[in-house]
Amino acid sequence: SDIGSQKDRVVTEEEWLQKWEMGNIGFHKEQVHPLLQKYLDVLLNGRNGLRIFFPLCGKAVEMKWLADMGHSIVGVEVSEQALKDFFTEHNLPYCEEPVPEISGAKKFQSASGNISLYCCSIYDLSSSIVGKFDGVWDRGALVAVNPCDRQRYVNLMITLMEKKSSYLLVTVSYDPNKHKGPPFYVPDSEIKSLFG
Ligand code: SAH
């Protein structure tokens, strides 16, 4: 398949912030993703109280859903508006604090302590800052990353995973010559080579 038309496309952080400002967020869904419900057992694999990572989290409702099941959630998102909207829309009190290791970054944490959302670029994170995770929900994340940054993104994700963690990845399949993305088309063959 030819992904040539997308491989040089770049969406800047500024453009993402603008999408949030304009309410141009068709990617946000009010209902828990049906594939997360379907594959929840694969993610949990019989375990309780997991640390679950949401890369490029937006205001994904699945964060609340999994937190309500007793898991702790860490997300990262460049849009402060998205993170504030998340807590407000779920009526969750939260506090806001700087992240000493990352200049300009903020951490928003639910008062109950089980949801921590970092406002910064995912590329600013490392396991020494956020620790490692038992599970990852990657929907609208790998497919939103600029094609030129995919390997960097995946290498980072691998460093954030515990030995026995599970990673649920949602991709979209379409003709990349007909839409410019995001979401970008990431063929299965590329996913295999990215994750090794
Ligand atoms: N995963 C979410 C949002 C998908 S849209 C969901 O399922 O609804 C992709 C999100 O990534 C946008 O909210 C955008 O602001 C954010 N984003 C883009 N580049 C980023 C980066 N480098 N670091 C952190 N967040 C980023």
Side-chain angles (χ1 to χ4, degrees), residues 168-179:
L168 292 187
L169 170 67
V170 183
T171 61
V172 286
S173 189
Y174 66 87
D175 181 346
N177 297 302
K178 295 203 171 126
H179 307 274

Side-chain angles (χ1 to χ4, degrees), residues 75-157:
V76 62
E77 164 60 52
V78 288
S79 167
E80 178 165 340
Q81 186 189 332
L83 301 181
K84 286 181 167 168
D85 285 354
F86 171 79
F87 289 111
T88 307
E89 289 169 15
H90 294 282
N91 296 311
L92 292 170
Y94 65 94
C95 64
E96 180 181 330
E97 55 182 59
V99 182
E101 300 93 331
I102 312 170
S103 94
K106 286 181 191 169
K107 178 166 121 176
F108 296 84
Q109 188 165 40
S110 62
S112 47
N114 55 349
I115 305 180
S116 298
L117 307 181
Y118 288 80
C119 187
C120 61
S121 170
I122 187 166
Y123 305 113
D124 296 331
L125 295 185
S126 65
S127 62
S128 61
I129 302 171
V130 291
K132 293 191 186 238
F133 298 96
D134 308 303
V136 176
W137 172 243
D138 182 324
R139 182 268 172 186
L142 174 64
V143 298
V145 161
N146 291 320
C148 59
D149 294 325
R150 273 177 200 156
Q151 191 67 63
R152 180 185 184 197
Y153 169 85
V154 169
N155 291 349
L156 171 62
M157 293 303 290

Side-chain angles (χ1 to χ4, degrees), residues 13 26 28 45 53 62 142:
E13 252 178 53
H28 176 73
N45 196 17
F53 185 49
E62 292 84 1
L142 174 64

